[in-house]
Amino acid sequence: MSITFKLDVLKPHQPNSPTLARALKQIEGVKYVNIRVEEIDQKTTSIIIFIRGNEGLLLDKIVEVLDGNNCALHSVDEVTIQDD
Amino acid sequence: MSITFKLDVLKPHQPNSPTLARALKQIEGVKYVNIRVEEIDQKTTSIIIFIRGNEGLLLDKIVEVLDGNNCALHSVDEVTIQDD
Amino acid sequence: MSITFKLDVLKPHQPNSPTLARALKQIEGVKYVNIRVEEIDQKTTSIIIFIRGNEGLLLDKIVEVLDGNNCALHSVDEVTIQDD
Amino acid sequence: MSITFKLDVLKPHQPNSPTLARALKQIEGVKYVNIRVEEIDQKTTSIIIFIRGNEGLLLDKIVEVLDGNNCALHSVDEVTIQDD
Amino acid sequence: MSITFKLDVLKPHQPNSPTLARALKQIEGVKYVNIRVEEIDQKTTSIIIFIRGNEGLLLDKIVEVLDGNNCALHSVDEVTIQDD
Amino acid sequence: MSITFKLDVLKPHQPNSPTLARALKQIEGVKYVNIRVEEIDQKTTSIIIFIRGNEGLLLDKIVEVLDGNNCALHSVDEVTIQDD
Amino acid sequence: MSITFKLDVLKPHQPNSPTLARALKQIEGVKYVNIRVEEIDQKTTSIIIFIRGNEGLLLDKIVEVLDGNNCALHSVDEVTIQDD
């Protein structure tokens, strides 16, 4: 079973997207991370994150990593759970 | 044989989509759940749910889980039944 | 050999689409049924039905099941016959 | 070798598309028939026919079956001949 | 190695497209011919021809067949040469 | 390893595209050539060339063949290098 | 595990895209480089670079090669990390 989240997130200019992607990839069970920049403002960057992991991947754990990188979850746009 | 429903649903802000998706995934025979946020209003969120299960998956059972999560089924937009 | 019909149908609000889909799926030789809601009016719902079966699937038999569910065939939009 | 025709045809309301499709499918060597309704007028229906057969499938034979069903070939929009 | 031409051609109403397609298919080494009608005028029909053959297929040979069918090559819109 | 170039090129009306394509295909290591006509002016034709070869395919060699056919490289629009 | 970057970069007219692509391809672990020209101005060219490598491919190393070719990284538009 795998779970995929599409998240709308506000990121400060630092850390950059590759650093944030590597941090998210290190969460246990995560197999895929994609970060796409949507809009760059003066102090923040709007990003869309796709993150896929196994059954145990919890939103709380993702938010914890986002918080640790000064990012704020704006909304969960999509979630998919499927058998392998 | 499998059956797939596309449902238009009104959800309060709580529970969030991942929680609702996990609840729907636990219905017997369900193999796939996808929840996409369409529109966020002051008190409710319009969501589209795709849910696929085996032959025995009944709409009544899905509605029961939606009710238990304070969600209201607005309409069944699409249904597909096919042999495996 | 298989035959696929795309049908434009008027349905009363009852039975709902899943009930109608299960009734159509029970016609002998039917392998696939898809019902998509196009427009919901006060008393009726416009639906598009895709139904695929083996060579023996006749339009008359489909119309018989539609009639039995108080649905009216508006038009046959597409038909495909192909060797397997 | 196979040959595929895309034909623009005028059909009276009777016979209906499934009947015409079955008649075309019975031409020797025909493997695939698809009829799509483009426009319904008061007395006629504009349809697009895709028909694929083996090397020996002649347009004359198709027109003969169309004539026998009171249909008029308006134009040949596309033809494809290819080795298998 | 194969070569594919996309040709913009003016055709009189006779011969019809299927006849022209069969004539082009008989050129040595031709594996695929597709003729699509673009526009029908009073005396001529604008057609697009895709024709694919092996390495030895020359444009001159194609033009010879077009000439023999009273068709005029207007332009070569695309050509592709690739190893198999 | 293979390299693919997308080139924007000005071509006189002679040589025609098939002749130019065959000349480019004869460069050592070239596996694929596609020439698409973009615009035909009074004296020149704007063409887009896709050309793929193995690691040793140099732009200089391509330009040499273009020069030899009286064509002028206007710009390199895209280049892709990938492991096989 | 592989990592893919989509980068928005300003390039002087020299070096040309193929030269830059070959330089990026020589970074250790890089498997794919694609450079697409977006806009050509008087002194600079806006390009989009897709570059994919194995886990060890760092943005710093890419920027080092861009610097060495007088190119400036404008923004990281997208980054993807996935298990093989």
Side-chain angles (χ1 to χ4, degrees):
Chain A
M1 209 176 84
S2 73
I3 183 161
T4 306
F5 298 91
K6 180 186 179 188
L7 309 171
D8 189 337
V9 170
L10 267 183
K11 187 181 74 64
H13 294 333
Q14 289 305 323
N16 62 20
S17 299
T19 300
L20 180 61
R22 288 188 193 272
L24 289 167
K25 183 69 177 64
Q26 279 168 8
I27 297 174
E28 200 191 322
V30 170
K31 297 167 183 167
Y32 175 89
V33 177
N34 171 271
I35 299 180
R36 211 169 54 213
V37 171
E38 291 293 288
E39 200 180 323
I40 301 177
D41 292 322
Q42 213 171 346
K43 293 195 174 167
T44 58
T45 303
S46 297
I47 59 175
I48 298 293
I49 300 177
F50 283 90
I51 178 167
R52 185 168 61 240
N54 58 24
E55 186 176 359
L57 177 60
L58 297 175
L59 184 61
D60 285 355
K61 183 62 191 167
I62 297 171
V63 170
E64 193 183 308
V65 173
L66 290 176
D67 282 349
N69 284 275
N70 300 316
C71 295
L73 175 62
H74 180 257
S75 62
V76 177
D77 289 356
E78 196 171 341
V79 58
T80 305
I81 306 180
Q82 57 189 325
D83 290 342
D84 294 322
Chain B
M1 209 177 83
S2 73
I3 184 162
T4 307
F5 298 91
K6 180 186 179 189
L7 309 172
D8 189 338
V9 170
L10 267 183
K11 187 181 75 63
H13 294 333
Q14 290 304 323
N16 61 20
S17 299
T19 300
L20 180 60
R22 288 188 192 272
L24 289 167
K25 183 68 177 64
Q26 279 168 8
I27 297 173
E28 201 190 322
V30 170
K31 296 166 183 168
Y32 175 90
V33 177
N34 171 272
I35 299 180
R36 211 169 54 214
V37 171
E38 290 294 286
E39 201 180 321
I40 302 178
D41 292 323
Q42 214 170 346
K43 294 196 175 166
T44 58
T45 303
S46 296
I47 59 176
I48 298 292
I49 299 177
F50 282 90
I51 179 168
R52 185 168 62 241
N54 58 23
E55 187 176 358
L57 177 60
L58 297 175
L59 184 61
D60 285 354
K61 183 62 191 166
I62 297 171
V63 170
E64 191 183 309
V65 173
L66 291 176
D67 282 349
N69 284 273
N70 300 315
C71 295
L73 175 63
H74 179 256
S75 61
V76 178
D77 289 355
E78 195 170 342
V79 59
T80 305
I81 306 179
Q82 57 189 325
D83 289 344
D84 294 322
Chain C
M1 210 176 82
S2 73
I3 184 162
T4 308
F5 298 91
K6 180 186 179 188
L7 309 171
D8 189 338
V9 170
L10 267 183
K11 188 181 75 63
H13 294 333
Q14 289 305 323
N16 62 19
S17 299
T19 300
L20 180 60
R22 288 188 192 270
L24 290 166
K25 182 68 178 63
Q26 279 169 7
I27 297 174
E28 200 190 323
V30 170
K31 296 167 184 168
Y32 174 90
V33 177
N34 171 272
I35 299 180
R36 211 168 55 215
V37 171
E38 291 294 286
E39 202 181 322
I40 302 178
D41 291 323
Q42 213 171 346
K43 293 196 175 168
T44 59
T45 303
S46 296
I47 58 176
I48 297 293
I49 299 176
F50 282 90
I51 179 167
R52 184 168 62 241
N54 58 23
E55 187 176 358
L57 178 60
L58 297 175
L59 184 61
D60 285 354
K61 183 62 191 166
I62 298 170
V63 170
E64 191 183 309
V65 173
L66 291 176
D67 282 350
N69 285 276
N70 299 316
C71 296
L73 176 63
H74 179 254
S75 61
V76 178
D77 289 355
E78 195 170 341
V79 59
T80 304
I81 307 179
Q82 57 190 325
D83 290 344
D84 294 322
Chain D
M1 209 176 84
S2 72
I3 186 162
T4 308
F5 298 90
K6 181 186 178 189
L7 308 172
D8 189 338
V9 170
L10 268 184
K11 188 181 75 62
H13 294 333
Q14 289 305 323
N16 62 19
S17 299
T19 301
L20 180 59
R22 287 187 193 272
L24 289 167
K25 183 67 178 63
Q26 280 169 7
I27 297 174
E28 199 190 323
V30 170
K31 296 167 185 168
Y32 174 90
V33 177
N34 171 271
I35 298 180
R36 211 169 56 215
V37 171
E38 291 293 287
E39 201 181 321
I40 301 177
D41 291 323
Q42 212 171 346
K43 292 197 175 167
T44 59
T45 303
S46 296
I47 59 176
I48 297 293
I49 300 176
F50 283 90
I51 179 167
R52 184 168 62 242
N54 59 22
E55 187 176 359
L57 178 60
L58 296 175
L59 184 60
D60 285 355
K61 183 62 192 166
I62 297 170
V63 170
E64 192 183 308
V65 172
L66 291 176
D67 282 350
N69 284 276
N70 300 317
C71 296
L73 175 63
H74 180 256
S75 62
V76 178
D77 289 355
E78 196 170 341
V79 59
T80 305
I81 307 179
Q82 56 189 326
D83 289 344
D84 294 322
Chain E
M1 210 176 84
S2 73
I3 185 162
T4 307
F5 298 91
K6 180 186 179 188
L7 308 172
D8 189 338
V9 170
L10 268 183
K11 188 182 75 62
H13 293 333
Q14 289 304 323
N16 63 18
S17 299
T19 301
L20 180 60
R22 288 187 193 271
L24 290 167
K25 184 65 179 65
Q26 280 169 7
I27 297 174
E28 200 190 322
V30 169
K31 296 167 184 167
Y32 175 89
V33 176
N34 171 272
I35 299 180
R36 211 170 53 214
V37 171
E38 290 293 288
E39 201 181 322
I40 301 177
D41 292 323
Q42 211 170 349
K43 293 195 175 169
T44 59
T45 303
S46 296
I47 59 176
I48 297 293
I49 300 177
F50 283 90
I51 178 167
R52 184 168 62 241
N54 59 22
E55 187 176 358
L57 177 60
L58 297 175
L59 184 61
D60 285 355
K61 183 62 192 165
I62 297 171
V63 171
E64 193 183 307
V65 173
L66 291 176
D67 281 351
N69 284 275
N70 301 316
C71 296
L73 176 62
H74 179 256
S75 62
V76 177
D77 289 355
E78 196 170 341
V79 59
T80 304
I81 307 180
Q82 57 188 326
D83 289 344
D84 293 323
Chain F
M1 209 175 85
S2 72
I3 185 162
T4 307
F5 297 92
K6 180 187 179 188
L7 308 171
D8 189 337
V9 170
L10 268 184
K11 189 182 74 64
H13 293 333
Q14 290 304 323
N16 63 18
S17 299
T19 301
L20 180 60
R22 288 188 192 271
L24 290 167
K25 184 65 179 64
Q26 281 168 8
I27 297 174
E28 199 190 324
V30 169
K31 296 167 184 168
Y32 175 89
V33 177
N34 171 272
I35 299 180
R36 211 169 52 213
V37 171
E38 291 293 288
E39 200 181 321
I40 302 177
D41 292 323
Q42 212 170 349
K43 292 194 176 171
T44 60
T45 303
S46 297
I47 59 175
I48 298 292
I49 300 177
F50 283 90
I51 178 167
R52 185 168 62 241
N54 58 23
E55 186 176 359
L57 177 60
L58 296 174
L59 184 61
D60 285 355
K61 184 61 192 167
I62 297 171
V63 171
E64 193 183 307
V65 172
L66 291 176
D67 282 350
N69 284 275
N70 300 317
C71 296
L73 176 61
H74 179 255
S75 61
V76 177
D77 289 356
E78 196 171 341
V79 59
T80 304
I81 307 180
Q82 56 188 326
D83 290 343
D84 293 323
Chain G
M1 208 176 85
S2 73
I3 184 162
T4 307
F5 298 92
K6 181 187 179 188
L7 308 171
D8 188 337
V9 170
L10 268 183
K11 189 183 74 63
H13 293 333
Q14 290 303 323
N16 62 19
S17 299
T19 301
L20 180 61
R22 287 188 193 270
L24 290 167
K25 184 65 178 64
Q26 280 168 7
I27 298 174
E28 200 191 322
V30 170
K31 296 167 183 168
Y32 175 89
V33 177
N34 171 271
I35 299 180
R36 211 170 54 214
V37 172
E38 291 292 288
E39 200 180 323
I40 301 178
D41 292 323
Q42 212 171 349
K43 293 196 175 167
T44 59
T45 303
S46 297
I47 59 175
I48 297 293
I49 300 177
F50 283 90
I51 179 167
R52 185 169 61 241
N54 58 24
E55 186 176 0
L57 177 60
L58 296 175
L59 184 61
D60 286 355
K61 183 61 191 168
I62 297 170
V63 170
E64 193 183 307
V65 173
L66 290 176
D67 282 350
N69 285 275
N70 300 317
C71 295
L73 175 61
H74 179 256
S75 63
V76 178
D77 289 356
E78 196 171 341
V79 59
T80 305
I81 307 179
Q82 56 188 326
D83 290 343
D84 293 323

